[in-house]
Amino acid sequence: MKVVIVGGVAGGASAAARLRRLDEQAQIVIFERTGFVSYANCGLPYYIGGVIEEESALTLQSPKGFWDRFRIAVKTSHEVFAIHPDSHTVEVRNMLTGEEFVETYDKLILSPGAKPIRPALPGIDSDKIFSLRTVEDTLRIHSYVRERRPSSAVVIGGGFIGVETAENLCELGLQVTLLQRPVQLMNNLDYDMATLLHTEVREHGIDLRLKADVTGFEEVDGRVVTHVAGDDPIGADMVLLAIGVAPESHLAQEAGLELGIKGAIVVNDRMETSAADVYAVGDAVQVTHQVTGEDAVISLAGPANKQGRVVADVIAGMDSCYRGSLGSSVIKVFDLTAASTGLSEKAARAAGIDCDSVVLSPGSHAGYYPGATPMTMKVVFEKQGLRLLGAQIVGIDGVDKRIDVLATAIQAGMRGDRLKDLDLAYAPPYSSAKDPVNMAGFMIENLNRGILAQWHWEDEPNLPRDGSVQLLDVRTEGEYERGHIDGFVNIPVDDLRNRLGELDRAKPVYVICQSGIRSYIACRILAQHGFECFNFSGGYRFFAAVTEARRGSANVMPCGFEK
């Protein structure tokens, strides 16, 4: 059996290595258009910034290494430019010599990945405007930065590549302007969680401009000028274009394969395309979202590697299938880590799901053990049945392990309130006896049982200030004086029982504290004394971060733990 693989990065390389482990006799050939194979896409921005120092660290395997260990023939700088499913052949061009030839196959795996979106804007062909997809792209940018010594850069696009590259250029000492057309960075996050990142990048000196619509470029006096609708032009020494990617599916389209949303290649759960003996994996394919069951395009390395394993199993005659994607991801943003899995609240609502969320600000580990830092966690769940839908976490430490627990819970189909029952490892340097994941479960259970009702940051502008409701801040007097929401009166939670006479039982009470713990306790006190009350989801620290970031300010209340 002869297996030809188009594309030798995540999905293609994984499929090749797995297939060899299952079938020692198969003839396996990889054609890779670039000069590198099995390279670390996700590490490319960090080579530009010097965090990854050696170029060789970017490539996980070489053509020689593939042959020596797996007897897999890897032909780099070879582009497959036509597919003929009826004759089981592909046409290949050696990009170094120009030679063209026909290669036969018994099974064909397409792993072409995704291409950077590059709109037809005036001046976009300048050699000072870069995209970042391949090792060659990284080497070009790396060389430009080292040789030309630019002092400024404009990064266009606030997704993974844009944010990571902006950070790395900033750490090199460049003055960086980050332009994002939507109202927030990282569209996998809800707006409120993304604002925490807005503050972080601004505090590190990046000029973040949201709702920035780029209209074109021009070179002036050796610099590239970026034109933005309704704003002044921005001059810089270089520009990185990172506004998104699209499935690299033109080969499949020309071969008559079925395409789906965003032009992605349609496959079944065995990664089979509409053509016999042709499979596809990675960023170019359409998958099923595990939460919604709807079609999706999710461009991440984890799914691509798993799909490569599945297709190898199928070709080897095993019963294997791909069960869909959650879109679990994590990103470093200076001192913060931001992670998400499943659906954001906005995505759940867009899918027509009646959902709610809890926001909490737990510590990364036990507060009495030195070095604990706060994180902000948002867990989204379906109101009817409490099915877990998604989660987002932003913090300094402990973020990645919590998001992985939540991703596992979502994939297992757990109810949100059952998070409280998870038996998670505890020692003071690593967690608390009630892990943050458990705490989210307690909160969801309280909401479901009617022990607690809540209000959210977006409700604040509509809270009446006419005396028909009571607005209560239960932090200490010092905390209140350092910053509070207009209209909220201060009664510290420890004084509340003695000052109940200052409140009117006939009027609802909206309560807030620093992180949500003391306001929850206050709500329990009030409820058992006949008050209707609502606890703020997230606490004042979270509220301040959202509202200050909306005003474009980096001045946010310091993170602190509650006593």
Side-chain angles (χ1 to χ4, degrees):
M1 178 174 62
K2 182 177 180 180
V3 180
V4 170
I5 301 174
V6 180
V9 192
S14 293
R18 171 68 170 174
L19 184 58
R20 173 58 75 223
R21 293 193 294 270
L22 298 175
D23 186 346
E24 182 66 16
Q25 305 307 316
Q27 181 184 354
I28 304 172
V29 181
I30 298 176
F31 291 112
E32 168 55 42
R33 181 171 54 187
T34 73
F36 299 86
V37 67
S38 190
Y39 57 83
N41 292 77
C42 300
L44 301 183
Y46 298 100
Y47 180 67
I48 294 170
V51 178
I52 297 173
E53 297 180 355
E54 299 297 329
E55 176 186 328
S56 59
L58 294 174
T59 51
L60 309 178
Q61 190 55 276
S62 66
K64 182 179 185 302
F66 260 114
W67 180 257
D68 291 345
R69 180 162 296 180
F70 297 110
R71 289 300 186 267
I72 293 172
V74 177
K75 299 183 181 297
T76 56
S77 300
H78 280 67
E79 179 181 25
V80 173
F81 63 90
I83 301 170
H84 304 290
D86 291 342
S87 61
H88 279 51
T89 60
V90 297
E91 295 184 61
V92 187
R93 180 183 299 113
N94 184 324
M95 300 177 69
L96 300 179
T97 66
E99 174 197 4
E100 295 182 359
F101 58 93
V102 174
E103 189 85 12
T104 62
Y105 66 83
D106 296 306
K107 304 288 184 181
L108 176 66
I109 302 173
L110 302 179
S111 182
K115 58 185 176 183
I117 296 172
R118 201 172 176 90
L121 295 174
I124 199 167
D125 293 328
S126 167
D127 62 2
K128 296 179 176 63
I129 300 176
F130 301 89
S131 295
L132 181 56
R133 180 197 179 196
T134 66
V135 173
E136 284 92 342
D137 293 336
T138 304
L139 298 180
R140 241 185 329 267
I141 298 171
H142 184 273
S143 176
Y144 184 90
V145 170
R146 294 311 186 272
E147 294 173 7
R148 303 285 188 91
R149 300 291 181 182
S151 62
S152 58
V154 169
V155 177
I156 304 171
F160 291 98
I161 292 295
V163 171
E164 289 172 342
T165 308
E167 175 186 344
N168 277 275
L169 291 174
C170 182
E171 296 283 31
L172 287 175
L174 277 71
Q175 180 182 344
V176 178
T177 301
L178 177 55
L179 306 178
Q180 170 77 326
R181 188 174 185 178
V183 72
Q184 66 173 82
L185 297 175
M186 304 302 300
N187 284 326
N188 56 304
L189 303 177
D190 283 314
Y191 173 79
D192 49 6
M193 298 296 287
T195 60
L196 305 176
L197 305 185
H198 300 170
T199 298
E200 183 73 4
V201 299
R202 285 170 172 148
E203 285 185 337
H204 281 82
I206 289 179
D207 180 7
L208 172 62
R209 305 189 190 185
L210 303 169
K211 297 189 287 186
D213 187 9
V214 175
T215 59
F217 309 91
E218 64 175 327
E219 289 199 32
V220 179
D221 297 330
R223 307 180 85 211
V224 59
V225 175
T226 302
H227 293 281
V228 182
D231 202 350
D232 294 334
I234 306 167
D237 298 318
M238 62 180 293
V239 170
L240 176 80
L241 199 62
I243 60 176
V245 296
E248 186 79 87
S249 57
H250 70 279
L251 273 179
Q253 182 180 25
E254 293 167 1
L257 274 61
E258 182 183 355
L259 302 184
I261 59 174
K262 300 182 181 180
I265 304 170
V266 173
V267 294
N268 60 19
D269 62 359
R270 291 163 56 85
M271 310 313 297
E272 296 168 326
T273 72
S274 59
D277 298 321
V278 180
Y279 306 80
V281 298
D283 293 353
V285 306
Q286 175 179 291
V287 298
T288 299
H289 197 288
Q290 288 188 11
V291 177
T292 64
E294 296 177 353
D295 295 330
V297 176
I298 297 177
S299 301
L300 293 168
N305 278 278
K306 296 177 184 69
Q307 292 159 14
R309 180 182 176 91
V310 168
V311 77
D313 289 353
V314 170
I315 290 173
M318 298 174 63
D319 184 16
S320 188
C321 66
Y322 185 68
R323 303 185 185 280
S325 300
L326 275 179
S328 302
S329 66
V330 64
I331 183 173
K332 174 186 176 295
V333 185
F334 291 103
D335 297 327
L336 291 181
T337 298
S340 70
T341 186
L343 297 179
S344 63
E345 190 169 15
K346 65 183 176 185
R349 296 191 190 283
I353 300 174
D354 186 19
C355 65
D356 199 357
S357 65
V358 293
V359 179
L360 57 158
S361 300
S364 56
H365 58 251
Y368 60 83
Y369 187 88
T373 57
M375 64 180 78
T376 300
M377 177 187 295
K378 183 175 187 177
V379 179
V380 184
F381 58 95
E382 196 168 16
K383 286 184 180 179
Q384 186 68 31
L386 304 186
R387 177 173 65 118
L388 282 171
L389 302 175
Q392 302 152 62
I393 311 176
V394 177
I396 296 173
D397 189 28
V399 169
D400 52 343
K401 72 174 183 176
R402 271 64 183 228
I403 206 70
D404 286 342
V405 171
L406 288 161
T408 303
I410 294 169
Q411 188 157 348
M414 286 183 61
R415 288 166 50 108
D417 56 346
R418 293 301 304 275
L419 294 175
K420 67 183 176 62
D421 300 321
L422 291 177
D423 192 357
L424 304 175
Y426 160 62
Y430 304 104
S431 185
S432 298
K434 296 176 182 177
D435 188 87
V437 174
N438 297 137
M439 293 299 297
F442 294 143
M443 294 171 69
I444 295 171
E445 180 186 55
N446 284 341
L447 290 170
N448 185 55
R449 289 184 172 180
I451 293 173
L452 185 68
Q454 61 181 359
W455 63 286
H456 299 279
W457 68 269
E458 59 266 36
D459 299 324
E460 186 270 334
N462 299 319
L463 290 179
R465 263 68 173 188
D466 60 2
S468 59
V469 302
Q470 300 169 100
L471 309 178
L472 180 62
D473 188 323
V474 297
R475 295 176 297 156
T476 65
E477 292 180 3
E479 289 172 308
Y480 180 82
E481 289 172 358
R482 287 194 295 270
H484 59 269
I485 305 173
D486 290 344
F488 277 71
V489 299
N490 180 223
I491 301 178
V493 65
D494 293 342
D495 300 337
L496 184 58
R497 289 182 180 88
N498 295 328
R499 297 175 61 180
L500 290 174
E502 299 176 29
L503 301 172
D504 186 347
R505 285 179 174 81
K507 297 177 181 179
V509 187
Y510 289 81
V511 190
I512 193 169
C513 71
Q514 189 75 352
S515 72
I517 298 174
R518 286 173 288 179
S519 53
Y520 164 59
I521 295 169
C523 280
R524 294 307 305 140
I525 294 171
L526 292 168
Q528 293 177 80
H529 283 85
F531 290 87
E532 180 187 13
C533 53
F534 301 87
N535 184 38
F536 180 73
S537 180
Y540 182 78
R541 185 185 72 86
F542 180 65
F543 178 87
V546 175
T547 53
E548 290 294 327
R550 292 181 76 189
R551 290 194 288 265
S553 169
N555 298 318
V556 179
M557 288 284 292
C559 301
F561 292 116
E562 302 209 354
K563 302 298 183 184

